[in-house]
Structures are given as structure tokens and as C-alpha cells.
Amino acid sequence: MTAQLLDHTLGSLASRIPGATRVFHTFHLDFCCGGQKTLRQAALENGIDALQVEDQLLALSPDEPHQHDWHEASNAQLIEHLLERYHAAHRQQLPELIRLAARVEQVHGAREHCPRGLTDLLLSMQQELESHMQKEEQILFPMIKQGDHPLVGGPIAVMRYEHNQHGDALESIVILTDNMQPPSEACNTWRALYRGLHELRVDLMQHIHLENNLLFQRALDEEGLNR
């Protein structure tokens, strides 16, 4: 069982084991953009003891909060979930985070731990993510819903590439904010900003995971295309 678990991909473990994503967040393992890597490979690349991660996965209680199994959903149902749960959420999250970041930088810019440059980073991220979501909504998702589309591999490759860019942006946020840990002197606005950034990171990683490791892979498999 141990060898089998170590050789499963992060994406499949995140999909099949309730609570696995929480464990992966704890160990800073990328199960969305890096979802095709096995647990063994990802742990090795990050200097983490794979057996320790596995122990925590195996210790997860069957009573962990239920995570919907989207493997059972149709492509249309999964797309609707992505639109309602994640596309809509990101469009609400980022404007408020930009407002909070601008306020923190304006008021606390001289402080040592102020995340200077965060506002510009979030503005860039907002523009790139909005463009990305529009391409999915207007081009890729209709192609997947239609089915039997031999050209679906091209747009999927582009979306996966852009997902990697979103992952890089999240990593920049983690570095800039000391893993979203506010300093002891942080005001309420600063703390609210970091809570919101944590929520954005969790949501965006789950969003990318469902697309990369489930929806897109399923569409490629249906067309008999390679990853």
C-alpha cells in the first residue's frame, strides 16, 4: 500500500482522499500545476520526507469534511461548478485584495515587513486571470461541452501554461508576505489582507487542480490525445 500511495500523482490523491489538499498545503506541495508528479517525485524535488507526507495522508479520518467527487460529474456539470464557484469568486476576491493591499502599502510602507509591491502584483494577476477565464468561457469550455473536438489539445496546452504562470504569481505572494503571516504589529486591515490572500491561494489552487487534473485530462483522454 505504501509503494502504491507514493507512486500516485498528487492530482489523483487530491481528488480521491478527503483532506489530502490540506496535507499538501501543510507541506507546500503543488497539487494543481504540479499535479502530474507522483508523491515520491514531488517530495524528492522539495526536500521533503515522502513517508512523512504519506503517514499524514493515511492518518486522515474517514470523517474528514466531505469533498464532492467530481469524477462522477459530467463535463458540463464540472464546468458549471468551475464558473460558479471559482470564476465568480476570483472576480470578487481580487478587487478587494487590491484595495486592501494599496491601503497597507500606503499606511505602512515604511515598516520592515510591509509587502511592498503587492498591489502591483495583484493588479497584474487580476488582468492575467481575467483574460485567462474569458478564454476558457468563450473558447475552451464550449469546445469541451461540445465534445468530439480534435483541436481541443491546443487551447488546453495554452491554459495549462497560463496555470503555471498563476502558480508562479501565488509563489511570489507567498514570498512577499512571509507565507501570509502578518507581523505582530499588523493592523486589522493588514490581517484581513493576509486572510484574503490565503483564501485566494486555496481557491485558485483547487480551481487549477480541477481543471488540469480532471476536466482537461478527461477531455484529452476522450479525444485520444496525449497530455
Side-chain angles (χ1 to χ4, degrees):
M1 182 174 182
T2 297
Q4 291 177 348
L5 196 58
L6 290 177
D7 293 326
H8 273 70
T9 65
L10 297 183
S12 66
L13 293 171
S15 297
R16 296 298 187 183
I17 302 178
T21 57
R22 175 170 53 80
V23 173
F24 293 152
H25 280 300
T26 299
F27 286 95
H28 303 290
L29 290 173
D30 181 5
F31 60 90
C32 54
C33 299
Q36 298 303 318
K37 295 179 181 179
T38 65
L39 173 56
R40 188 192 306 275
Q41 178 186 2
L44 179 63
E45 291 178 358
N46 287 275
I48 297 169
D49 183 353
L51 293 177
Q52 186 179 359
V53 181
E54 183 191 53
D55 286 344
Q56 291 203 21
L57 291 173
L58 293 173
L60 289 171
S61 167
D63 296 326
E64 286 284 329
H66 178 68
Q67 188 176 33
H68 187 86
D69 186 0
W70 289 103
H71 289 83
E72 305 300 323
S74 67
N75 287 343
Q77 290 171 325
L78 180 52
I79 287 171
E80 191 64 26
H81 172 66
L82 290 166
L83 293 174
E84 292 181 356
R85 173 61 182 85
Y86 297 108
H87 284 216
H90 299 329
R91 287 176 171 131
Q92 293 180 342
Q93 290 166 327
L94 280 161
E96 177 62 8
L97 291 173
I98 290 167
R99 185 188 71 81
L100 292 173
R103 179 64 175 169
V104 168
E105 289 193 68
Q106 179 185 26
V107 175
H108 303 290
R111 292 180 179 268
E112 178 184 359
H113 299 291
C114 179
R116 288 178 290 275
L118 179 60
T119 306
D120 288 341
L121 176 59
L122 290 173
L123 281 167
S124 176
M125 190 175 183
Q126 181 187 40
Q127 293 171 356
E128 292 174 359
L129 191 56
E130 179 60 34
S131 172
H132 175 88
M133 292 190 297
Q134 287 189 22
K135 282 182 280 190
E136 288 183 333
E137 293 163 4
Q138 297 170 14
I139 300 172
L140 180 55
F141 286 174
M143 291 174 69
I144 293 176
K145 281 185 176 181
Q146 175 186 334
D148 191 25
H149 205 302
L151 300 180
V152 74
I156 285 177
V158 173
M159 294 300 98
R160 281 180 162 172
Y161 173 78
E162 292 183 359
H163 284 168
N164 289 338
Q165 294 180 313
H166 302 330
D168 291 342
L170 288 177
E171 185 60 27
S172 295
I173 290 173
V174 168
I175 294 171
L176 197 58
T177 62
D178 191 23
N179 199 25
M180 290 159 284
Q181 296 297 318
S184 58
E185 73 274 14
C187 65
N188 288 335
T189 300
W190 201 334
R191 294 179 185 278
L193 169 63
Y194 281 17
R195 284 194 299 270
L197 289 172
H198 175 74
E199 179 183 19
L200 173 68
R201 181 171 182 263
V202 170
D203 280 355
L204 187 53
M205 289 186 71
Q206 183 67 15
H207 176 186
I208 293 173
H209 159 61
L210 288 174
E211 291 185 351
N212 275 4
N213 302 319
L214 185 53
L215 180 66
F216 293 172
Q217 192 56 51
R218 181 192 290 172
L220 293 173
D221 290 343
E222 289 172 354
E223 298 301 329
L225 301 172
N226 294 325
R227 292 176 184 171

